[in-house]
Every structure is written in structure tokens, then in C-alpha cells.
Amino acid sequence: MAAQPAGRGTDPQAKLRAAHDRMANAIRALAMDAVEQAKSGHPGLPMGAADFATVLFTRFLKFDPADPDWPDRDRFVLSAGHGSMLIYALLHLLGYEAMTIDEIKRFRRLGSITPGHPEHGHAPGIETTTGPLGQGLGNAVGMAIAERHLAAEFGAEIVDHYTFVLASDGDLMEGISQEAIALAGHLKLAKLIVLYDDNAISIDGPLWLADSVDQLRRFEACGWAAARIDGHDPDAIAAAIAWAKGNDRPSLIACRTIIGFGAPTKAGTEKCHGSALGADEIRGARERLGWTAPPFEVPDDIRDAWRAAGQRSRPAHLAWMTRLANLPVERRAEFKRRIAGDLPREAVAAAVCGVKEKLAAAPKEMATRVASELVLDALTVALPEMIGGSADLTGSNNTKPKRLAVLSAAEPAGRFIHYGVREHGMAAAMNGMALHGGIIPYSGTFLTFSDYCRPAIRLAALMGQRVVFVMTHDSIGLGEDGPTHQPVEHLAALRAIPNLLVFRPCDAVETAECWELALMARSTPSVLALTRQNVPPLRTAHVAENRCAAGAYELLPASDGEAKVSLFASGSEVSIAVEARALLAARGVAARVVSVPCFDLFETAPAEARVAVIGGAPLRLGIEAGVRQGWDAIIGSDGLFVGMRTFGASAPAKDLFRHFEITPEHVAKAALTKLDGG
Ligand SMILES: Cc1ncc(C[n+]2csc(CCOP(=O)(O)OP(=O)(O)O)c2C)c(N)n1
């Protein structure tokens, strides 16, 4: 490996090259030093990618460190999050105020803004949380969709920016990358540009151990433009980015790089991927790179050059602010509202209340997925920022109100996305749209396929993004499709994710209320678990209050005297509890019914409210066509639970509920046996 010469030539080209090298070496030095000090981290990627990152950030990327949230900035997504020191070094050098040298010194320390992998919300300039490989690429597709859509709506003078991604071999090996690039190619997201750190090394060693994909041909097959360049040649890098910006398709630039560029013995090998280089190797790298400054110090001339690069887009930013100021007052206010993520609360409340009133006036049996569509009919009028979709289950998920046009390459202003059978890519793209701002994404699939979305749902929760997952066919109640499609452990698994609201409404009115709560949760994603099968109306008297906000509430009190039994249930099983209550009453046993549409909200309710809802009945019995896990928090470990212990089966729903003994008769019998001391 030949390291770059210090470049002391006299001709202008050589001078430019020398200046570039010194700027790129500042990234390399900071990455080496920070990882060394932390005694852990990943120096290889920042050192290898420093050249193309320098060209991108100093010559192309549109951003303003003085206003990191400028809505029309170009987005940069470090999909290979392990290379976090690359973005931290860039933010520091470019003059992002929060990214001080002390924060770089505190890399990976508790409370720093420089965690092991970049976390959105910790430091300005971190567009998304990355680390789980492939997710960033998926997010970037959503960001590019958001840009395209908002440009169609507000005009190119207000929204006109690129989304750049740095992706590694690992990103491109992950399955999600296929979903992401296929979707991006299909939608012709021309302003999405992937810089692939093509170093042919991963943790186990050379890439050939595990992979032999021709990435250029793969991307081309998905509708992308693709090129390979020397990722250490600034001119080639600049020419490639300029080429990519002019393409009418998304672009891949495979930048051939040497991982750990500059390290004397470890460069080009997996040895510099994920551990501190060590003092000797760092000494050698400094020598090769011609870097003489002490650790964590950046010579003034290099710092000045970086700071100047940080100011590059200032005039563009000012011009943009003027254009925004020149928008008609209402358009400007609407753009700002959308970007801020503020809801027109009254309009949302009125939409939800209107639906509830109609439902109460003419109560009828319906599946909660159908109720959800009714609610969406109203909500998507009140909230033009809602963009819906489905992973090829549109008719089953009921996520497409008729009015919503399809968002496509030709019609970017559309508001419904046919994601194709790409649940994981869909969920990651939704995160990207929410992160971009200006959009509230919601989508649909079957609850059992929440497993296919889970890594992205988890990141939505970690990042505190408002995305809404409509997940229908939420139990054995879906019937004949059988156990592969019947969720059993999924509600418990989703409830286990912190900062995720899992709603399971029992009827149409509760469905409306849960939708309202999902939208009001500014920093929390939501799952709406909805039935395929009809359920009876249970909330037949209209109240304006959103009763689901409590997480759990008494739907029916004991009909006669003190309750002997408290029946707790969610979703389609609430009607089973209601029938069981009548059977118990016929046997002289007073029972009350508590609907539990959202564990997570109930958990955070005030202690007294929780105690009142749980009540003092001697027997607590939970009913849910899923596993017991999680229910003990409500029914206690000595409570009874009627639900699933095994996978389901293929049969009509009614037969399945009978077979698995999730019936009013069984509930009543179990309660009576227990009360009799059985
Ligand atoms: C989903 C996921 N699986 C595994 C890992 C652990 N991991 C981190 S980096 C990496 C691969 C490293 O290779 P590459 O992506 O080419 O990065 P480079 O070695 O070039 O820095 C792996 C397996 C991860 N971060 N995310």
C-alpha cells in the first residue's frame, strides 16, 4: 500500500492535492486518537473513507453548521454506523458547535454526544441512528421519498436536496439492502446517491470469504446508475459525484478504498476494522501520512480550511430563507408546521370524535381493520402529512383510503406507497420519512410479519420517531391461513420494546381512539394490532373523552354488588369477556370487564388510577389470543389466563377459538372452578 505523499509540490494541482490530503488526514488522525483513547472503536472505516468524505463535505454537501436542522440541507447518512468517528470528526472539523474536541476525547463514554454508533438526537448533524447494518440505507430511501414528495407539494424553491449514503460491504450484504435499493430504483429516486466504501474487507477477513456479488450489476439491475472509482483520488471522486447528481436515477459510486489507509501494517486488513491500532501502529501511520500534530490537535491552517468548507452553503441557506419568507403566509405556516411535526390537534380531535359519534349512532359489527379505514378516511383529510402504504396487502390491511393517490415515480405528490413485499425496507423507509420531517408515515402488513419489520421498529422506538404500523390479522381469528400467519408471541414481543405503543382496540370506537393516541405520540412509534374478523360494537354510548388514553379502563362494572371476578381482555377477546360476564352473572357471580387496549399507556398511568382499574376482586382473569407473557403485571402471577400456549392451526376462526378454549364458556368455567377452590 502506498500512502499519500505529503505533497509539497509547487504546481497548483499538486498544491490542491496536498491541501486535500492534509484535510483528509485530519479525519484519520482524530479517528485514530479517539479510538485509541477509548480503547475501543473502529478506525479502519474513517481512515479508508476519509478521502471521499472530504470531497463530499467540502465540495458538494449542502449544509450549515449554524443551523443543523435547516430543512433543505442535503442529508448524509452514515449507514456503516461503526465508522462513527468519521462523522464525529467531520462535524467537529466543519464547526458544528456541539461537537467539541472534548466530546471527541470522550468518544464512547457515558453521557458523551459521541456514542459508539451515531445516535440521532445526541449531536446535531446525526441524521439517523445507525449501527445495525443496512438500516441507514433503508432510512435514506425514505428520506429521498420525503424530499421528492415535499418538493412536489411545496415546490423546488423550498425543497430541493440530495440524500447521500455511505454504505459498507456489510450494509450491502444485509437483506434489507435489496429491499431498499429495489424500491429506490423503482421510484427513480434520482437524488439518492450511495457512496459505497468498497474496501473488500469485513470482520472475518477478505470479502471473498463470504461474498462474490457484482454490486455494480446488482444495482444496475435494480434501476440504478453505477460506477466504480478509485476512492482515494479526489478528482475521480468529485467527477463521480457530479455525474451522479446529474443522473435521472439513483446512483451508486463504488469507491475502491483501503481500509485503515495509512496504517503501516494493518491497512488493507480486518485488523484495523474494529479495534484501537496501538501506539506503534499510530506512530507509523502518522509518519506515513506526514501528520506531525500531537494527538487531538489540528493545525490551524487545516482547521481553517475545514471551517471555510463549513461556511460554503451559507449563501444558499440565506437565499433559501428569503424564498421561504416570500411564500404566501399560509403556505409558509403550513410548511413550518409540517416540518416541526406539530399536529392541528383540534382538527385531529374533531375528525376522531366525528367518527366515534357516527359509530355510536349506528353501532354495527365490523373488523377493527375496517374501522381503521373509516378513521383513516377522516384523518388523512385532517392531516395532509400522513403518507400511507402497505407491503402488498393493501386490500387486507385497509390502509388506503380511496381518496389517496398512489405515490409513484411519475406522481411523487401521491400519498400511498405500494411498498411491494418488502416489510423490512418499508419500516426502515418510514423511519427515514419521519426523520426527514414533514411527513407522518403509516403502513400495513400482517401482525405476524412484524418480525420482518422488527429491527426498524426497534430503531424507530430508540430514535423516538412517530411512525404508525397498522398490523392486521392479529390472532388465530384470521382463521384458515393457519399457524404461519397467526401471531401468538408477537404482541408480547412488541410490548417488550421500550418506547413503543402497542394498541389492540376491541371495537370500532376504540380503533378511532387508538389512532388518535398514536398520532398524538410525538416521540413514540405505534403498532395498531387489528382484527381480520368482525367484532361486535362494545362502546355504544358516545363519549367525547378518549377512554383508551388510560391504557385500560372498566368497560362494564359488576352488574350486581362487589365483583368477585375482574375480567381483563384486549382486542377481539373483550367481547368474549363481556359474554363470560353474563354467563357468570347467570350463575350468581358478579364480574366486571376491563378493556386493555394498550399495556404501555396503562403502565405509565398514575398508581391510584392503576389500582382502581385493577380493582379488588378476589379473582383476576386475563383473556388474549396470544401468550401470557406480560399479563402478570395486570392479573398477578396467581391470576388466571385464557390464551395461547402453542402455535395456532388452519381452520375457520370460530373452530379455532373453540379448539384453543378461548370462549365465554371456557372463561366462565375456569373462573367458577377457581372460585370453588379448584
Ligand atoms: C445487522 C448487523 N449485523 C452485524 C453487525 C456487526 N458488524 C459491524 S461491522 C460488520 C461488518 C464489517 O464489514 P464492513 O461493513 O465492510 O465494514 P468495514 O470492515 O469496511 O469497516 C459487522 C458484521 C452489525 N453492526 N449489524
Side-chain angles (χ1 to χ4, degrees):
M1 181 220 83
Q4 287 160 9
R8 288 192 198 89
T10 47
D11 71 281
Q13 276 307 102
K15 270 197 177 152
L16 277 178
R17 177 66 203 241
H20 164 88
D21 290 349
R22 280 162 58 74
M23 289 176 84
N25 287 340
I27 297 174
R28 296 186 171 107
L30 286 174
M32 284 193 289
D33 294 343
V35 173
E36 197 65 17
Q37 173 132 320
K39 296 194 173 56
S40 77
H42 301 78
L45 187 149
M47 294 174 78
D51 286 312
F52 69 81
T54 298
V55 172
L56 177 67
F57 275 78
T58 61
R59 296 207 233 165
F60 290 94
L61 203 77
K62 183 173 79 168
F63 63 98
D64 185 354
D67 183 6
D69 296 330
W70 170 22
D72 200 32
R73 68 192 181 280
D74 286 342
R75 305 303 195 265
F76 172 76
V77 174
L78 180 66
S79 192
H82 60 277
S84 56
M85 262 315 301
L86 176 75
I87 185 77
Y88 299 152
L90 285 163
L91 295 176
H92 171 68
L93 292 166
L94 289 161
Y96 282 77
E97 216 173 31
M99 193 55 77
T100 60
I101 196 68
D102 286 337
E103 290 293 344
I104 303 275
K105 287 180 184 168
R106 296 197 321 125
F107 180 48
R108 295 183 155 232
R109 293 283 170 262
L110 190 65
S112 75
I113 62 168
T114 47
H117 295 82
E119 291 182 48
H120 178 69
H122 283 225
I126 304 296
E127 300 286 3
T128 178
T129 296
T130 51
L133 290 164
Q135 292 292 332
L137 181 58
N139 297 159
V141 171
M143 291 176 187
I145 294 173
E147 192 273 345
R148 196 76 184 287
H149 175 78
L150 292 170
E153 206 182 331
F154 288 95
E157 71 274 22
I158 299 301
V159 184
D160 182 11
H161 60 261
Y162 286 84
T163 303
F164 291 93
V165 183
L166 189 159
S168 65
D169 294 308
D171 284 302
L172 300 193
M173 283 192 275
E174 289 292 350
I176 187 177
S177 71
Q178 185 54 35
E179 299 182 22
I181 68 173
L183 186 60
H186 177 71
L187 292 175
K188 296 192 169 57
L189 299 174
K191 285 155 94 177
L192 176 64
I193 299 174
V194 172
L195 298 158
Y196 163 33
D197 184 29
D198 182 14
N199 63 21
I201 289 290
S202 67
I203 293 179
D204 279 3
L207 202 61
W208 54 253
L209 287 171
D211 196 62
S212 44
V213 171
D214 181 335
Q215 294 293 356
L216 268 66
R217 287 175 59 195
R218 173 189 176 214
F219 275 74
E220 279 167 354
C222 294
W224 290 53
R228 173 167 278 124
I229 57 162
D230 174 355
H232 295 300
D233 176 349
D235 293 337
I237 298 161
I241 298 174
W243 161 81
K245 286 182 76 167
N247 286 332
D248 59 357
R249 292 167 284 166
S251 303
L252 173 79
I253 306 173
C255 305
R256 266 275 148 89
T257 58
I258 295 164
I259 189 170
F261 186 97
T265 69
K266 296 185 175 175
T269 75
E270 70 279 10
K271 294 197 182 75
C272 61
H273 159 86
S275 46
L277 294 179
D280 287 348
E281 190 78 2
I282 290 183
R283 203 173 307 116
R286 284 170 179 270
E287 240 166 65
R288 287 187 155 231
L289 298 169
W291 190 263
T292 52
F296 297 108
E297 280 185 27
V298 179
D300 285 347
D301 63 321
I302 301 178
R303 186 176 293 280
D304 289 349
W306 272 108
R307 287 288 157 91
Q311 296 301 309
R312 240 184 54 251
S313 307
R314 190 90 197 126
H317 186 190
L318 292 174
W320 180 86
M321 291 201 292
T322 307
R323 291 197 298 276
L324 183 69
N326 288 339
L327 278 190
V329 178
E330 276 179 18
R331 289 303 284 161
R332 186 171 68 234
E334 176 63 5
F335 180 76
K336 285 186 167 175
R337 179 190 76 73
R338 291 239 208 135
I339 292 294
D342 293 336
L343 285 194
R345 283 178 166 258
E346 276 155 31
V348 173
V352 169
C353 219
V355 175
K356 280 169 60 175
E357 257 169 329
K358 264 192 221 143
L359 290 168
K364 61 172 183 208
E365 285 220 340
M366 72 171 81
T368 52
R369 65 180 171 139
V370 173
S372 172
E373 186 173 346
L374 286 181
V375 183
L376 281 171
D377 273 334
L379 281 174
T380 50
V381 173
L383 292 175
E385 59 265 52
M386 287 180 80
I387 292 197
S390 170
D392 201 40
L393 290 168
T394 302
S396 302
N397 302 144
N398 300 65
T399 45
K400 186 176 179 303
K402 282 181 195 66
R403 290 177 28 264
L404 289 198
V406 171
L407 186 155
S408 64
E411 278 248 24
R415 290 174 55 198
F416 185 86
I417 302 177
H418 288 289
Y419 285 101
V421 193
R422 302 186 183 104
E423 295 85 1
H424 199 180
M426 171 174 80
M430 289 164 70
N431 289 351
M433 283 183 239
L435 286 160
H436 179 280
I439 287 171
I440 301 177
Y442 73 91
S443 72
T445 185
F446 289 158
L447 182 60
T448 196
F449 303 135
S450 59
D451 288 338
Y452 277 56
C453 308
R454 193 178 169 84
I457 297 178
R458 182 173 189 270
L459 284 171
L462 179 61
M463 291 190 274
Q465 293 303 303
R466 177 170 48 198
V467 292
V468 185
F469 300 93
V470 172
M471 297 198 159
T472 66
H473 297 57
D474 70 346
S475 75
I476 51 167
L478 67 86
E480 294 84 343
D481 271 349
T484 54
H485 284 46
Q486 292 160 354
V488 171
E489 74 282 23
H490 298 73
L491 288 166
L494 290 166
R495 286 173 183 145
I497 297 179
N499 193 40
L500 174 70
L501 294 174
V502 181
F503 294 103
R504 191 163 185 254
C506 73
D507 74 352
V509 169
E510 276 201 1
T511 305
E513 292 184 346
C514 291
W515 255 115
E516 181 177 25
L517 294 166
L519 291 167
M520 292 298 183
R522 177 71 184 87
S523 312
T524 307
S526 299
V527 170
L528 291 167
L530 305 176
T531 65
R532 169 181 186 246
Q533 76 278 21
N534 280 351
V535 290
L538 298 174
R539 289 275 302 279
T540 47
H542 176 67
V543 286
E545 180 200 349
N546 187 326
R547 299 202 71 190
C548 291
Y553 64 93
E554 188 176 88
L555 179 72
L556 291 174
S559 51
D560 194 14
E562 287 262 305
K564 286 271 181 331
V565 185
S566 282
L567 299 168
F568 300 88
S570 83
S572 46
E573 286 70 72
V574 179
S575 66
I576 293 176
V578 170
E579 283 185 50
R581 172 178 172 273
L583 294 178
L584 286 168
R587 299 287 298 270
V589 174
R592 57 196 279 272
V593 174
V594 175
S595 177
V596 190
C598 183
F599 274 40
D600 315 87
L601 289 176
F602 188 55
E603 245 171 55
T604 54
E608 295 120 68
R610 283 174 52 83
V611 168
V613 169
I614 286 175
L619 175 60
R620 294 187 226 161
L621 194 154
I623 317 165
E624 186 172 77
V627 294
R628 176 169 181 148
Q629 202 168 336
W631 274 91
D632 285 14
I634 292 173
I635 59 174
S637 55
D638 55 346
L640 281 184
F641 183 72
V642 172
M644 298 293 290
R645 283 201 192 85
T646 63
F647 293 115
S650 172
K654 281 207 168 65
D655 295 349
L656 290 174
F657 278 103
R658 224 175 295 125
H659 176 75
F660 290 105
E661 299 189 316
I662 307 175
T663 59
E665 294 74 21
H666 182 76
V667 169
K669 194 171 129 207
L672 291 170
T673 308
K674 180 86 174 177
L675 287 174
D676 284 350

